[in-house]
Amino acid sequence: METQKFSYDNSIVRAFLYATIVFGIIGFLFGLTAALMLFYPELPEFLFGTDDKTITSLSSGNIQGLINTQGAFGFGRIRMLHTSTVIFAFVMNIVYVGVYYSLQRLLKTRMYSDTLSWIHFWTWQIMILVTYVTFFMGINTSKEYAEHEWPIDILIAFSWIIFGANMFLTISKRRVRHLYVAIWFYIGTWIAVVMLHIFNNLEVPLSFAGWKSYSAYAGVKDAIVQWWYGHNAVAFVLTTPVLGLMYYFLPKAADRPVFSYKLSIIHFWSLIFVYIWAGPHHLQYTALPAWAQAVGTGFSIMLIAPSWGGMLNGLLTLRGAWDKVRENPILKFFVVAVTCYGMATFEGPLLATKNINKIGHFTDWVIGHVHVGALGWNGFMAFGVIYYLVPILWRTKLYSVKLANWHFWLGTLGIIFYAVPMYIAGFTQGLMWKQFNPDGTLLWKNWLDTVTAIIPYYRLRFVGGLFYLSGGLLMVANVVATVRKGSFQKDVPAEAPALANISNKRKEGEGTHLWLERMPVLLGILSFITISIGSSVEIIPTLSLKKSVPTISAVKPYSPLELEGRDLYIREGCNSCHSQMIRPFRDEIVRFNGKNGQYSKAGEFIYDRPFLWGSKRTGPDLHREGGKNPSSWHYKHMYNPRSTSAGSIMPRFPWLIANNLDRTKMIDKMVLMKQAFDVPYSKAEIDSANKWADNQAVKIVKDIYNEAPDLKKAYSNRPKGELERKEIVALISYLQRLGTDIKTTEIKTASNN
């Protein structure tokens, strides 16, 4: 058969490689900044200005500089920037590096279209940059790992479809008949992400000329769809494509074949089938229907088997090559990465069980767990791939193996100093929250006692971040030096015989899966069906059955001012630190009861778009906040949390007091809620929305003045009605509404034993 000549495109690989390194360092810096703010919340004041004489500031000494930032550098926004950068900019770019490099070589062909490759590259990087601008401005949806507003969601979908089209068209012109295991994972990833991204991000824009939108789902339904997405973003963005990289690059670096072909088959199919069911384990003991919680737990436990099958397949590939691990930093990174994958995928199912979940959920234990995966599995796989590819792409040896080894040890220390303190902090939080005195009162009634107890662990976590970032900077220096001494080749000549046409029918003696590996369309269809089964069983009943969310007649829609206040709450990223879900535990009901001793009910959230149950309690739960503290307390707390709560690590929000509330879209929001979501606003209520908001604002300000003579005096010389127009009043209206619809004090709890 005639040999065909062609070339591999290395330029697209180089572009994604540079993007990975740049955004990786940026992501680590955002993470380090967020970690610092958890024990030094005055950081924005130090940088931009403050009126607190006890704090040193680089600015002129007044608070106007902080107000001028409009919250751009607040913890809630920095956290979103960190998670989005790590997931979409660091991990996804290294996935694209690996796919564009390995796919061409595994299929013995150039990518189908260089143009599509570059459209994919630039649309993805533009998406990241636009995300930065919008997140700094507070434009977000609040949804975990999916905070992008609707125009960015469309751009992500467009870029992903371009990537998929290029990948599948490349497969169609391959010169290798059977698809290698790494490509199975690439195909499964692409299909799952399309499904997850589209259905989770169904939202209705307030205006096609603006950025604001509201989720197509409300309350419990929004929660199950979001965590079906959120958990499987971990599965099909942070796991399956990186497993594809593992199956290609680890054997290449070790110069050994994959340990077991059969185990690869079992790993792939069982993983994509089981993983998709596990999302509800993030919602244990919440208002989610009990059957969905049970299904999530069951499949989470089953997930150990395929996950560890993949881990063992990776580690056992090194059989006979462990002597190389001592000398080769690339293999060191891969070994620790795969080990961290095994640790995280064992710990995740444990956290899904109810007995452990009630201790660990909402604590820093989950943060430690996530970062074993992010820093260890994703980060170290990325570093190993970078160190493997850079010498190949630039046709030279790595500038310094010693620097790479230093990077490895600094990164490993970083993971240890990050994860272990977070585990200890999580155990401490979970146990302190639940302890009672002999007389039945909470031992640690003051929430701040449980916060100050873990500050030392936050400091250690920051040290771990410094180690990890330092290793990353060494990598940058090493890569730059290697690039400078090497010679890059954009187009790499290659040759291979053309693929002969043969029947699609199974040949005699051909195994079923071997036949399937030369049928990419069928492989894709079967992958889609496998992934869809769990999604359909969990999502469709919850969305379609009205009785899955019992209604409560006392629950009424938000007033126009409360609706604006809720949007401000989302803008500032308050859900990063506060949950709005009181679980049926005695300790939570006693601690968070406000004027209402009840756990959260599904029917209370029917007007919440999006839901705001949260995933982490740095501050206390707010679902029963309404009426718990006076409005003047909220005013002072937002201006300076340490004035009302000594030792608080909450940042300041003085711009809320300085800014006038923008009411120009208030009526449009009510109209959208009524027309798109059937929220029962009457025509009279919509027509009188401004008057309704005015009356509520006047009532709140009157309460503030009655409760705080100092504030009344401060505003006495200002124009009449000034405070009523401020954003702070809208936010207070929302906070004072939370949990007040239910009036009964009947208490029913789940056992703590």
Side-chain angles (χ1 to χ4, degrees), residues 14 44 149 172 219 425 427 444 504 523 530 658 674 711:
R14 177 178 61 178
E149 268 291 3
S172 72
F427 301 151
W444 308 102
N504 287 335
L523 179 68
T530 304
K674 181 175 177 61
L711 291 178

Side-chain angles (χ1 to χ4, degrees), residues 63-287:
I63 202 168
Q64 190 58 46
L66 182 62
I67 293 172
N68 291 342
T69 68
Q70 290 295 306
F73 299 92
F75 177 84
R77 302 189 198 180
I78 294 295
R79 180 187 178 274
M80 280 187 288
L81 285 159
H82 166 59
T83 56
S84 185
T85 300
V86 169
I87 294 170
F88 291 91
F90 175 56
V91 176
M92 285 310 300
N93 271 320
I94 195 63
V95 166
Y96 298 142
V97 168
V99 171
Y100 278 104
Y101 181 84
S102 65
L103 197 66
Q104 296 181 79
R105 286 150 180 85
L106 289 171
L107 300 177
K108 294 290 187 285
T109 183
R110 192 180 181 91
M111 293 302 297
Y112 176 80
S113 168
D114 290 1
T115 301
L116 289 179
S117 298
W118 285 106
I119 291 174
H120 173 221
F121 174 80
W122 285 113
T123 52
W124 197 263
Q125 310 316 315
I126 289 169
M127 177 274 294
I128 295 165
L129 296 176
V130 175
T131 296
Y132 284 175
V133 174
T134 54
F135 283 6
F136 271 124
M137 294 174 66
I139 298 170
N140 71 90
T141 66
S142 84
K143 289 190 173 187
E144 196 87 17
Y145 313 140
E147 295 95 344
H148 317 87
E149 268 291 3
W150 67 272
I152 303 178
D153 287 335
I154 292 173
L155 184 56
I156 291 172
F158 174 79
S159 188
W160 190 252
I161 289 168
I162 292 295
F163 166 60
N166 205 10
M167 178 173 70
F168 287 114
L169 288 169
T170 302
I171 292 172
S172 72
K173 66 166 195 170
R174 67 193 185 280
R175 295 182 177 88
V176 174
R177 189 168 307 283
H178 295 91
L179 303 183
Y180 179 66
V181 57
I183 302 175
W184 314 344
F185 279 96
Y186 300 158
I187 291 173
T189 295
W190 190 87
I191 292 169
V193 169
V194 168
M195 185 191 307
L196 292 163
H197 180 74
I198 290 174
F199 283 99
N200 184 59
N201 292 299
L202 289 176
E203 50 219 357
V204 180
L206 181 62
S207 163
F208 287 105
W211 287 85
K212 183 64 181 174
S213 69
Y214 291 96
S215 174
Y217 320 103
V220 171
K221 296 179 180 182
D222 195 34
I224 192 170
V225 173
Q226 161 57 27
W227 280 112
W228 166 74
Y229 166 90
H231 183 78
N232 290 303
V234 174
F236 291 98
V237 174
L238 303 179
T239 302
T240 55
V242 184
L243 285 168
L245 304 191
M246 180 196 80
Y247 274 112
Y248 180 82
F249 288 100
L250 194 152
K252 283 285 188 180
D255 196 23
R256 292 287 189 277
V258 170
F259 170 69
S260 171
Y261 167 68
K262 290 183 178 178
L263 188 55
S264 301
I265 297 172
I266 296 170
H267 180 208
F268 172 71
W269 290 105
S270 60
L271 191 75
I272 67 170
F273 174 73
V274 174
Y275 229 134
I276 205 81
W277 295 76
H281 79 226
H282 289 265
L283 300 169
Q284 297 283 34
Y285 292 109
T286 68

Side-chain angles (χ1 to χ4, degrees), residues 549-608:
V549 183
T551 57
I552 301 172
S553 59
V555 175
K556 304 299 181 187
Y558 293 106
S559 74
L561 194 64
E562 291 160 1
L563 200 59
E564 291 288 357
R566 194 172 197 272
D567 287 343
L568 292 174
Y569 183 94
I570 290 170
R571 184 188 77 185
E572 301 302 336
C574 301
N575 52 287
S576 293
C577 295
H578 294 282
S579 59
Q580 289 184 26
M581 173 51 62
I582 298 173
R583 299 174 295 177
F585 301 142
R586 176 183 167 212
D587 61 283
E588 295 201 10
I589 293 170
V590 171
R591 185 184 299 280
F592 302 126
N593 64 358
K595 292 185 177 180
N596 176 10
Q598 285 214 39
Y599 59 88
S600 302
K601 308 293 196 301
E604 295 183 78
F605 303 101
I606 58 173
Y607 300 119
D608 285 9

